[in-house]
Amino acid sequence: MDAHSPENLYPYTVSRPIYSNPTFEEDNERQAREERTLRERLSLFPVIDWLSRYPIREWLPSDVISGVSTGLVCSLQGLAYALLVSVAPVYGLYSAFFPILTYFLLGTSRHISVGPFPVTCLMVGSVVLTLAPDDHFLLPGNGTGVNGTEADGIVVDVEAMEAQRIMVASSMTVLVGLFQVVMGLLQVGFLVRYLSDPLVGGFTTAAAFHVLISQLKIVLSVPTNNHSGCFSILYTLIDVFTNIRQTNRADLVAGLLTIVIVMAVKEVNSKFRHKIPVPIPIEVIVTVVAAGISYATELESRYGASIVHSIPRGFAPAQPPNTELLWNILGSSFSTAVVGYAVAVSVAKVYAAKHDYTIDGNQELIAFGFSNVFCGCFSGFVASTALSRTAVQESTGGKSQVAGIISAVMVMIVILALGNLLEPLQKSVLAAIVIANLKGMFMQVTEVPTLWRQNRADCFIWLATCLASVVLGLDVGLLAGLVFEMGTVVVRTQFPACSTLGNIPEMDARNKFPGIKIFKCNAPIYFANIDYFKERLRVTVGFDSVRVFKKRNKALKKIHKLIKKGKLRATESPFNPLLSFSFGFESEQDSGRESGQVEDGDWPVPEVEVRVDWALELPVRVSVPKVQIHSLVLDFSAVSFLDVVAVKSLRLSVGLVTKGCKFKSPS
């Protein structure tokens, strides 16, 4: 076989048919999407499906044990997280009870524990303090102000303030639920995918800082003003340190001891989770002991400790939301709805993957939406899930939402019978329980070095979202983080990674392809990055296609004139027929005129077809840049789409590049 045959010169042959979308679907036998029946579309109660197949003997004992353990934790976390919303602790019990009932009927996760979550509670609390601050309920009279401080004859109407605050919180909860239901019915759960893991990590870490500062004043029991929005953390810290001399020592000691004991026992539970059949319910133990000590030693009357006071028995009557408030809380409600759903679905997916089942994201939206609407109508606040509480339900043997129903029964028992036993409990103990449960959020800071090594753009998203949420507040910070995240996507697509492909000469000297360039772009090509793409292509091929085109046109015009005058005779070159010039493509002329890159006078008049070997010396005095390639291959396998601007620019630029060489696109 001839050593110089085309088979030996070019051992790689790529043969791929060019498809249109209809022909591709026809050849590959596209599968039609299965349409669900009307009954399946209208079925919003997954409980009907799984409860009929519930293995009572195998699962019920584990669910009972898990439900009792989780119910105790739910009760105490409900009391504690009510402080974040700035409402009475009893409303936290309502928020730990009502959402479980509706989620049992509508949810698709078997393991998550539905109820208050610190981040959403704080977001609701910021709205509550904005619309119902202490200043709106000041009355003239002789007495003491907030937190037992002298107020110069001005007192706070506590009953009116509590009523207004729970009205704001419950109305916002209903609106959050309506947003989630509408999103679920419209099947737009995919929007939560825009909240990337780095963004959520930075946001929840910033929320943990907000929670810490908001509970610090309760642990110290010092008077502060209510702050929300931009720089609220800074203003709260200034108030705390300004009044630090008024710290109540009984509350401080109780709070610090609670933090140390709860965190230490949680570490033991985590370290020996494979040896301990049931995690130690340290929050329950600490709360019962602290309430007993407070009652026995009369901490309120003797040391001025701030206690829970009243936990009324029974449930509050149902009430509709205040429609006058809804317009003032639209933006905050939507962001809270998205955050609550994103956190809940993230936790649900973790346990669904662990136990090998799937969840329906849109059905979860509907489930949480109805749960929040139902909860808001009974004076509760926004429900989501918490990783620590869900971990208790799963680690104690929970198999299904039957454990959730049993935990709701435990909360109901506390509401109806045991609530008054917790009235002597110090608020600093509840605040300390909240702080102790923030460890997991703060530990997300350790992800930053890993993100920096893996992907610096994701690291910047984490840092920007965290910083914005700390400084600007959670609502504005989340929006700022989302805008920054979208900006990084735009920047990464505006300056895509482009590369030149080929064989490495040191690896195999025989597989060199002189005159061939393979150019790959790893991003969509659209109006924002088309100029960058053309610049990278120009660097790859080694010449400016527009300049070469103009110079060749100028040379051809002079050659035509010489031929017409008889001073030059055109002969076909047998040496390299690939290096030839042809013209007369009307569409490319139109594209060039539209883009303004090629002037009308630069287009040749197709009177005589002339083939010129541009590698040889020309008979006219025109300096034409040398073109060192004869074939250009564009690898668009990673290009997902091209817009109209990109198509027009490519038709012109690539067309000009390939006037003197072959053009191939493998995709």
Side-chain angles (χ1 to χ4, degrees):
M1 182 180 291
D2 187 3
H4 298 286
S5 63
E7 291 80 1
N8 288 333
L9 288 175
Y10 308 108
Y12 295 123
T13 302
V14 178
S15 177
R16 182 182 299 172
I18 299 176
Y19 282 112
S20 64
N21 196 55
T23 57
F24 181 83
E25 293 175 357
E26 180 181 354
D27 287 358
N28 291 274
E29 299 180 358
R30 180 185 183 185
Q31 298 290 331
R33 296 181 63 180
E34 296 182 1
E35 294 293 334
R36 295 189 299 172
T37 64
L38 181 62
R39 180 179 179 182
E40 291 173 335
R41 288 176 178 273
L42 298 179
S43 177
L44 299 178
F45 300 96
V47 65
I48 298 175
D49 178 50
W50 66 262
L51 192 59
S52 61
R53 298 180 285 106
Y54 182 79
I56 298 177
R57 292 184 178 180
E58 291 82 1
W59 285 11
L60 185 58
S62 299
D63 280 340
V64 171
I65 296 174
S66 175
V68 172
S69 303
T70 308
L72 295 174
V73 176
C74 284
S75 301
L76 298 179
Q77 288 189 355
L79 291 170
Y81 294 157
L83 301 179
L84 297 174
V85 188
S86 300
V87 296
V90 67
Y91 298 110
L93 293 176
Y94 300 157
S95 303
F97 173 75
F98 287 107
I100 298 176
L101 305 180
T102 46
Y103 189 84
F104 175 80
L105 300 175
L106 302 173
T108 59
S109 174
R110 301 203 307 252
H111 293 90
I112 65 171
S113 175
V114 181
F117 177 58
V119 176
T120 54
C121 289
L122 192 64
M123 296 177 75
V124 175
S126 65
V127 175
V128 168
L129 293 179
T130 300
L131 298 181
D134 295 344
D135 297 342
H136 290 184
F137 305 95
L138 297 179
L139 297 174
N142 295 322
T144 57
V146 183
N147 294 326
T149 59
E150 295 295 333
D152 298 328
I154 302 297
V155 296
V156 175
D157 188 348
V158 177
E159 292 185 3
M161 182 180 67
E162 286 287 347
Q164 181 62 19
R165 286 184 173 181
I166 193 57
M167 176 58 70
V168 174
S170 59
S171 298
M172 181 175 176
T173 300
V174 172
L175 187 56
V176 167
L178 292 176
F179 273 127
Q180 291 175 333
V181 170
V182 171
M183 291 171 65
L185 294 176
L186 296 178
Q187 298 188 345
V188 293
F190 66 90
L191 292 177
V192 181
R193 297 174 187 170
Y194 288 99
L195 302 180
S196 64
D197 289 344
L199 185 142
V200 173
F203 176 76
T204 52
T205 303
F209 279 103
H210 280 277
V211 172
L212 174 64
I213 300 303
S214 69
Q215 299 308 288
L216 180 62
K217 62 183 181 182
I218 299 176
V219 171
L220 297 174
S221 191
V222 296
T224 61
N225 295 319
N226 297 321
H227 302 288
S228 61
C230 298
F231 304 105
S232 59
I233 284 184
L234 178 61
Y235 296 142
T236 302
L237 285 175
I238 292 174
D239 289 348
V240 168
F241 286 107
T242 301
N243 300 317
I244 194 69
R245 294 180 180 272
Q246 302 181 37
T247 299
N248 186 286
R249 296 180 180 179
D251 286 336
L252 177 60
V253 171
L256 293 178
L257 285 176
T258 300
I259 292 174
V260 172
I261 293 172
V262 170
M263 294 186 67
V265 175
K266 281 183 174 290
E267 282 296 317
V268 173
N269 286 339
S270 176
K271 188 173 183 179
F272 299 99
R273 61 182 179 275
H274 299 297
K275 298 181 179 180
I276 303 176
V278 177
I280 302 172
I282 186 59
E283 291 100 335
V284 178
I285 297 173
V286 167
T287 302
V288 172
V289 172
I293 293 175
S294 176
Y295 176 77
T297 58
E298 299 179 352
L299 290 179
E300 181 190 18
S301 58
R302 297 179 61 181
Y303 301 99
S306 178
I307 64 174
V308 172
H309 281 298
S310 176
I311 301 181
R313 292 183 178 181
F315 296 96
Q319 58 179 352
N322 188 341
T323 55
E324 296 179 357
L325 296 172
L326 299 183
W327 294 106
N328 298 325
I329 56 178
L330 278 176
S332 300
S333 299
F334 181 76
S335 60
T336 305
V338 173
V339 170
Y341 169 70
V343 171
V345 168
S346 299
V347 175
K349 286 182 177 179
V350 169
Y351 288 97
K354 181 177 179 180
H355 294 275
D356 193 23
Y357 66 92
T358 59
I359 63 170
D360 186 339
N362 291 309
Q363 181 64 30
E364 288 294 296
L365 265 175
I366 295 173
F368 279 101
F370 279 113
S371 296
N372 283 316
V373 171
F374 185 54
C375 181
C377 291
F378 285 92
S379 301
F381 45 84
V382 174
S384 180
T385 189
L387 184 58
S388 60
R389 193 169 61 245
T390 300
V392 171
Q393 180 165 317
E394 191 266 347
S395 62
T396 52
K399 303 295 184 183
S400 69
Q401 283 302 322
V402 171
I405 285 293
I406 295 174
S407 69
V409 172
M410 296 299 298
V411 177
M412 183 178 65
I413 293 174
V414 174
I415 294 173
L416 297 178
L418 303 179
N420 60 332
L421 299 179
L422 299 176
E423 290 179 355
L425 180 65
Q426 293 171 266
K427 289 184 178 179
S428 63
V429 173
L430 294 177
I433 291 175
V434 173
I435 294 174
N437 281 285
L438 296 177
K439 179 188 174 184
M441 295 186 187
F442 282 121
M443 290 303 294
Q444 295 178 116
V445 176
T446 59
E447 298 176 0
V448 175
T450 303
L451 288 175
W452 180 261
R453 291 191 299 267
Q454 294 178 347
N455 191 314
R456 294 190 177 182
D458 288 341
C459 183
F460 287 136
I461 291 173
W462 197 103
L463 294 173
T465 305
C466 183
L467 182 62
S469 299
V470 168
V471 175
L472 304 177
L474 295 181
D475 293 345
V476 180
L478 178 63
L479 179 61
L482 187 60
V483 171
F484 184 84
E485 179 187 50
M486 293 295 101
T488 62
V489 174
V490 172
V491 169
R492 280 185 278 188
T493 57
Q494 188 172 2
F495 303 101
C498 300
S499 55
T500 304
L501 307 181
N503 293 86
I504 301 175
E506 291 77 5
M507 298 297 293
D508 191 349
R510 295 174 299 174
N511 290 335
K512 295 180 181 179
F513 300 113
I516 298 177
K517 292 289 185 180
I518 306 175
F519 184 75
K520 182 177 182 179
C521 180
N522 295 311
I525 304 176
Y526 62 109
F527 66 92
N529 64 4
I530 184 61
D531 291 334
Y532 179 80
F533 174 86
K534 292 190 293 185
E535 175 62 22
R536 295 293 299 170
L537 182 61
R538 184 191 66 79
V539 172
T540 298
V541 298
F543 58 87
D544 186 344
S545 60
V546 175
R547 182 169 179 269
V548 171
F549 184 75
K550 289 181 177 181
K551 290 291 185 179
R552 289 185 176 184
N553 277 347
K554 184 176 181 181
L556 281 174
K557 288 179 181 179
K558 292 187 176 183
I559 291 174
H560 280 177
K561 290 180 181 179
L562 293 176
I563 293 176
K564 288 181 179 180
K565 293 178 181 180
K567 297 181 179 180
L568 181 65
R569 184 176 62 183
T571 59
E572 182 177 358
S573 174
F575 299 105
N576 199 342
L578 290 178
L579 294 176
S580 60
F581 183 84
S582 61
F583 46 85
F585 293 89
E586 182 178 353
S587 60
E588 292 169 358
Q589 295 176 22
D590 296 340
S591 299
R593 292 190 183 102
E594 291 174 4
S595 64
Q597 292 179 322
V598 180
E599 300 175 0
D600 291 340
D602 291 328
W603 293 97
V605 180
E607 297 176 354
V608 180
E609 182 176 359
V610 178
R611 287 179 172 268
V612 178
D613 188 346
W614 299 104
L616 302 178
E617 183 178 356
L618 299 179
V620 294
R621 294 182 178 180
V622 178
S623 177
V624 179
K626 299 296 183 181
V627 177
Q628 304 297 331
I629 65 173
H630 60 73
S631 295
L632 173 64
V633 180
L634 296 180
D635 185 350
F636 280 4
S637 57
V639 177
S640 58
F641 72 89
L642 297 91
D643 67 353
V644 175
V645 176
V647 171
K648 288 183 178 180
S649 298
L650 285 175
R651 288 176 62 188
L652 172 67
S653 299
V654 177
L656 296 180
V657 170
T658 57
K659 282 295 184 179
C661 64
K662 289 183 177 179
F663 168 67
K664 298 178 181 179
S665 178
S667 61

